[in-house]
Amino acid sequence: MGRLTVLALRAVIVALLAGSLGVQAVLVPLLAGDLEGLDAEYSHLRAPILLIVVLTALTAQTVLVCVWRLVTMARRGTVFSHAAFRHVHIVIGAFATAALLVFALGTLLAPGEAVAPGMVLLVGRVGLAVLGIALVVLVLRMLLAQAVARDVEASLMRAELAGVI
């Protein structure tokens, strides 16, 4: 990877991390204040909604940290190793968890008249999109596995060739 590409990607990651911390520090307390005004019949949703928002932000932060580490490995030329799989597995798990959290939010919002059915459907589609991202990363993990296997095979062939020469 080029130096400029790595710097640009790291700048984006830092901005996204700062934004997610801002969500946790500023928007979650504001949301909590807004949820105080819920009708009595919906007041039981306050804590689960806040928990889902905080956990979703944590999953995003987890993905960003793992991507930072993978970019570092790519810059060093060590991304085609078994150590990269740990970070990729965490990313897949974080996206799957985020999808479950979004589906849980939709389930919380579905009963009653508090939220329009179209909004619940939209939340469900967002959950499906996040799950799709997890599946795309899973496919990329399979490609990484093939690349690591080929890299190991190439190293063995080089060592064999060096022994012949």
Side-chain angles (χ1 to χ4, degrees):
M1 289 180 81
R3 189 179 189 311
L4 187 60
T5 305
V6 170
L7 287 174
L9 185 54
R10 286 186 175 166
V12 169
I13 291 171
V14 167
L16 291 172
L17 275 172
S20 69
L21 290 172
V23 164
Q24 287 177 315
V26 177
L27 292 181
V28 169
L30 289 174
L31 178 63
D34 286 345
L35 292 176
E36 287 286 332
L38 283 178
D39 293 339
E41 63 181 301
Y42 299 116
S43 63
H44 67 283
L45 297 176
R46 182 177 184 268
I49 288 173
L50 290 173
L51 182 64
I52 287 172
V53 170
V54 170
L55 291 176
T56 303
L58 286 174
T59 60
Q61 292 166 352
T62 301
V63 168
L64 292 170
V65 168
C66 287
V67 169
W68 181 285
R69 290 181 178 170
L70 288 168
V71 167
T72 300
M73 292 178 80
R75 182 75 176 131
R76 291 180 184 157
T78 59
V79 77
F80 294 118
S81 66
H82 292 285
F85 286 103
R86 179 177 46 141
H87 302 299
V88 174
H89 291 156
I90 292 171
V91 168
I92 293 168
F95 273 116
T97 301
L100 290 175
L101 288 168
V102 172
F103 288 136
L105 179 63
T107 303
L108 285 173
L109 298 176
E113 299 292 323
V115 178
M119 189 58 94
V120 174
L121 184 62
L122 182 63
V123 169
R125 288 185 178 186
V126 168
L128 192 60
V130 174
L131 186 59
I133 293 171
L135 293 172
V136 167
V137 176
L138 181 62
V139 169
L140 293 174
R141 183 229 175 266
M142 291 181 221
L143 293 173
L144 177 64
Q146 288 178 353
V148 168
R150 295 252 162 78
D151 193 47
V152 168
E153 185 180 335
S155 295
L156 291 173
M157 292 175 107
R158 275 187 238 119
E160 198 174 296
L161 184 61
V164 170
I165 294 176

